Amino acid sequence: MHRFHSLTEVPEDFGPSIVTVGNFDGVHRGHQEVLRKLADKAREAGCQAVVLTFDPHPAEVHRPEKHRGKIMGTQDKLDAMEKLGLDAVLVQHYDLNFAAQSAEEFVVDYLRKGLRAQCVVVGADTRFGHGNSGDVNVLRQLGQDHGFDVVVVEDLEGVLPGEGTDRRVSSTWIRELLADGQVAQAASMLGRPHRVRGTVVHGAARGRELGFPTANLDSQGDGYVPADGVYAGWLLDEHEHRWPVAVSVGSNPTFDGVSRVVEAHVIDRPVERVEDFDLYGQEVVVEFVERLRGMVAYEGVEKLIEQMRRDVDQTRDILRGA
């Protein structure tokens, strides 16, 4: 999959293409419906299947005080898109100058001239242009004016286990679930476990002292960190090896911690690899499968160690089932 970061990187002979536009934060099941439709239409027409997406997220530019953070970083977003059979992605830098374009300017300069779009595939809630002045009806009219077709993919409804109310699958809903620690429910909307990415750095080494050494992720990583608590999950190292982990998210209240950190304890490591198991400096991915419990301050180290042993046992059972 070609990855462009400006229109100037798009070859002059690129296209013709079928294009979709959006943030696609999380590349959740609703997004996947749009992207699969895009890929199918492109194959039928003998065109390039192209996504135009944005970085940073527009909400970070327009409403930074209200933006709750991206579900996933750009690298993971593009990797997820590539698995859906797309030919190219244009990651457009988003700033106030870009946002000032009219709906027609954006369509003509980026979709028609820049990407040579013959057809544009969008979700029903798509908005574009200055002040979000463009919607599906505007896009259809612009398509008639500038010679491209428009295909609208209807919203995908989702129902969580134990709940009987349909709701549109959306990035907002997934952020709400993650903020509440409901990672298994978020995974049902994403179609895969939620993940965060970061570099392993040195921490306070308390886990090692307690017999549970952890890989501590730096605070500058990518991905929405779920609510404080302990989770069963997986760690993918730089060699794409998948390790079962018990993950702690929080500030270590037993030790009066302040900074919020993500720590992953790899369970059941082969004895012959324990001494040389070194993740420091590696960029790793942590996937969250299920929440075990909330974060608790324990009275004494022994009680904490007992609970950590139970967490590891429960993690092992959950991941065997997964």
Side-chain angles (χ1 to χ4, degrees):
M1 183 178 77
H2 298 289
R3 303 184 182 196
F4 306 124
H5 292 85
S6 73
L7 279 182
T8 60
E9 295 181 9
V10 179
E12 291 185 4
D13 61 350
F14 183 83
S17 66
I18 295 183
V19 182
T20 189
V21 181
N23 297 309
F24 298 104
D25 187 21
V27 193
H28 56 61
R29 288 170 51 225
H31 295 149
Q32 292 166 31
E33 288 287 312
V34 174
L35 297 176
R36 288 194 183 99
K37 184 71 171 180
L38 171 73
D40 289 345
K41 293 285 292 183
R43 280 193 293 270
E44 292 171 4
C47 293
Q48 301 282 313
V50 183
V51 175
L52 197 166
T53 190
F54 309 104
D55 187 42
H57 193 292
E60 294 181 54
V61 175
H62 295 291
R63 300 179 299 279
E65 72 287 351
K66 294 183 178 180
H67 183 55
R68 299 177 67 177
K70 293 188 293 186
I71 295 171
M72 67 195 325
T74 299
Q75 177 180 337
D76 288 308
K77 178 168 74 170
L78 298 186
D79 288 347
M81 288 179 173
E82 186 166 15
K83 293 176 182 177
L84 296 171
L86 305 178
D87 297 303
V89 174
L90 169 58
V91 183
Q92 172 62 41
H93 176 69
Y94 192 94
D95 56 21
L96 293 178
N97 287 332
F98 178 83
Q101 300 175 96
S102 70
E104 185 166 18
E105 287 172 334
F106 168 70
V107 165
V108 172
D109 292 344
Y110 281 82
L111 304 186
R112 198 67 178 108
K113 293 181 179 179
L115 296 173
R116 291 89 178 176
Q118 290 189 348
C119 177
V120 178
V121 179
V122 293
D125 65 338
T126 192
R127 307 290 297 198
F128 60 96
H130 179 67
N132 281 335
S133 57
D135 59 12
V136 167
N137 292 328
V138 170
L139 185 62
R140 285 189 173 120
Q141 182 59 57
L142 290 172
Q144 292 178 14
D145 295 342
H146 297 283
F148 61 88
D149 297 326
V150 175
V151 173
V152 178
V153 180
E154 295 303 320
D155 293 338
L156 179 68
E157 300 291 325
V159 181
L160 293 177
E163 297 185 11
T165 304
D166 287 352
R167 179 175 175 181
R168 183 175 71 89
V169 176
S170 68
S171 301
T172 298
W173 188 9
I174 292 167
R175 287 191 200 95
E176 291 172 4
L177 293 169
L178 294 174
D180 198 37
Q182 299 185 65
V183 295
Q185 293 85 343
S188 71
M189 300 292 104
L190 290 166
R192 63 185 179 280
H194 173 62
R195 56 168 44 191
V196 299
R197 178 185 294 270
T199 301
V200 178
V201 297
H202 289 276
R206 291 197 184 98
R208 186 173 299 277
E209 293 170 2
L210 298 175
F212 299 89
T214 60
N216 300 346
L217 272 61
D218 72 308
S219 60
Q220 304 303 312
D222 284 330
Y224 192 105
V225 177
D228 289 2
V230 177
Y231 299 83
W234 302 97
L235 182 146
L236 283 72
D237 65 22
E238 63 182 9
H239 305 295
E240 292 297 310
H241 191 98
R242 199 178 191 86
W243 301 93
V245 288
V247 187
S248 170
V249 177
S251 57
N252 295 316
T254 300
F255 299 98
D256 298 322
V258 177
S259 300
R260 195 164 181 258
V261 294
V262 177
E263 305 173 89
H265 169 65
V266 178
I267 68 174
D268 299 333
R269 290 178 292 177
V271 173
E272 65 273 13
R273 290 204 56 188
V274 170
E275 292 302 322
D276 66 355
F277 190 83
D278 184 1
L279 295 173
Y280 289 120
Q282 288 193 34
E283 184 179 76
V284 301
V285 169
V286 173
E287 294 183 340
F288 295 84
V289 174
E290 186 172 324
R291 192 180 196 221
L292 309 184
R293 61 179 175 86
M295 192 58 68
V296 178
Y298 289 91
E299 296 180 1
V301 172
E302 288 305 318
K303 289 186 178 181
L304 173 60
I305 292 175
E306 290 176 10
Q307 181 60 59
M308 292 170 76
R309 288 174 179 152
R310 289 193 291 270
D311 293 338
V312 167
D313 289 342
Q314 191 175 355
T315 293
R316 186 181 297 112
D317 291 341
I318 289 170
L319 297 181
R320 280 175 181 163

